Amino acid sequence: MKKERIMIFDSTLRDGEQTPGAKLNASEKLKIALQLARLNVDVIEAGFPISSPGDFRAVQQISRKVKGPVIAALARAVKEDIDCAWDSIKDSEKPRLHVFLAASDIHMQKKLRKDPDTCLQEAVQAVRYAKSLTQDVEYSLEDATRAREDYILRVVEAVIDAGATVVNIPDTVGYAVPQEFGRLIHLINTRVPNINKATISVHCHNDLGLAVINSLTAVENGARQIECNINGIGERAGNASLEEIVVAMKIREDHYPFETGINLQEIYRTSRTVSKLSGIPIPINKAVIGTNAFTHSSGIHQDGIIKDKRTYEIINAELIGGQAAQMVLTARSGRHAVRHQLESMGYNLNDEEFKRLYERFIELSDKKKEVYKEDLEALLIDVSFAEPTYELDYLQTISGTKTVPAAVVRLRKGEEKLEEISSGAGPIDAAYKAIDKITQINIRLENYNLRAVTRGVDALGEVSIKINHEDKNIIGRGVSTDIIEASVKAYLDAINKLINMVAYNNNNK
Ligand code: KIV
Ligand code: ZN
């Protein structure tokens, strides 16, 4: 059966940019617009040009440089706004003027202090004027879901007569509930005599968390354009999330006999780009694109996923261009899950190697509740699988603003336990000096690097160092949630390698 095409109108750069705290400059807007074109949205609402000279320039640049989607600019129903919007988009290969005016009594009376007939006249005049500039004119009835139905029907018919090719029904304050909104769209679709000359669009805000379901219900009742934003950003609680809408239609195509032109593979990248440039983080549990959307934590779920992904996963991360589902390993995950995760990362350890790694995994999962792939990788680096000469048995350091930094270090060397104390420029320096006293090896520290390898405040720190002994340079690495411990492990790792190297050279002389 041929599916009906739903147009996706992206307003991330206009309504999305109205998110408190989000401000994008012209080059950031252009980057996002280019990415939206790769995502293959049908319309990019690039901005509200009259609102500032910066916004005007951003819309103009997008209109000139972004090919593919229609480029829309927003304007109030006044000549000055429409002229400004037109100036900004006239160089686009597919320009659209988007004109809006209030439709609810509360907006008309309290905000505009105008009566409905005056507003209707202004709407018609504005659409006629916009139409004299371009073919593609969209008209929005602001706050439609709190407007009187008979007035909505009159306005929709009049603006279509005046030349509007798209009529947009916004739920401006996110007040509608699905059945009621669906009924309104059905009413417009069946009662407005000239409705076949225009596309019905919807634009839902998320104040009650219903923006996506309202949009989908509208489509079931005759809407053929959905206005939505990447990551659902927008005024107050935001707008309908583009990614949730298109993925819901895809995953439940048995229910929704529609299709969009969206290139699903670009969703992940678009979502991350918008978040990075707007500075608005993606909630961790956000449907479709939140980090946890593809993360399995409970032991029962992990077991199910290992046996068959479909047990607990309805969306495949690869569908949206994301990374395959992650299992967050915890102390309760069990050997099977840890081994499975390692194998999926390409590591096939023998039983002895796995035993050592698993011991370290249990130690780590005690300190750090969740163990990610990157943590396992860091543990693999740490477990060198060669017998070390010195192992850390005990470490205590003191440091502070008015204290001389000092360290007590105890190392195991076979059956022996060797302990030393030292002061230093800082706790790490003190610990290194204490180790030097124990090993009696003359070492110069050439290089020291620390980086967080995993997420969160309890992230693992990886220390990599370079030491020099006589003519040899040796790299050592250590990993721990405690950076001083990671530093000491890195130092010992380098010393153990040095000892092995010297022994090897002596044996082969
Ligand atoms: O929410 C709204 O009503 C709008 C219109 C300008 C379309 O953003
Ligand atoms: Zn809006």
Side-chain angles (χ1 to χ4, degrees), residues 14-15 172 203 205 239:
R14 200 277 298 168
D15 225 351
T172 303
H203 172 113
H205 279 263
N239 292 52

Side-chain angles (χ1 to χ4, degrees), residues 106-119:
I106 180 158
H107 274 219
M108 289 187 286
Q109 280 166 17
K110 305 286 177 196
K111 187 178 80 172
L112 303 178
R113 302 195 189 286
K114 287 183 180 163
D115 62 76
D117 285 339
T118 309
C119 288

Side-chain angles (χ1 to χ4, degrees), residues 4-11 14 41-45 69-72 74 96-99 136-141 164-171 181 185 189 198-204 211-212 214-229 240 242 245-246 249 258-261:
E4 271 198 76
R5 174 75 189 270
I6 304 300
M7 297 295 169
I8 297 296
F9 175 117
D10 181 279
S11 185
R14 200 277 298 168
V41 301
D42 298 288
V43 186
I44 295 175
E45 186 168 47
V70 169
I71 307 296
L74 185 68
R96 174 182 297 181
L97 281 170
H98 179 191
V99 179
D136 192 354
V137 176
E138 171 166 338
Y139 182 81
S140 281
L141 293 83
T165 41
V166 180
V167 278
N168 184 37
I169 309 300
D171 183 21
F181 193 53
I185 301 304
N189 201 23
T199 301
I200 303 177
S201 167
V202 288
H203 172 113
C204 298
V212 168
N214 282 340
S215 307
L216 292 172
T217 309
V219 163
E220 291 182 290
N221 284 280
R224 290 295 173 265
Q225 174 178 285
I226 300 181
E227 303 198 356
C228 44
N229 294 350
L242 183 150
I245 287 172
V246 298
M249 280 200 226
F258 308 110
E259 64 185 7
T260 68

Side-chain angles (χ1 to χ4, degrees), residues 6 173 313 364 399 424 443 487:
I6 304 300
V173 289
E313 215 173 89
L364 179 65
S399 65
I443 284 171
S487 307

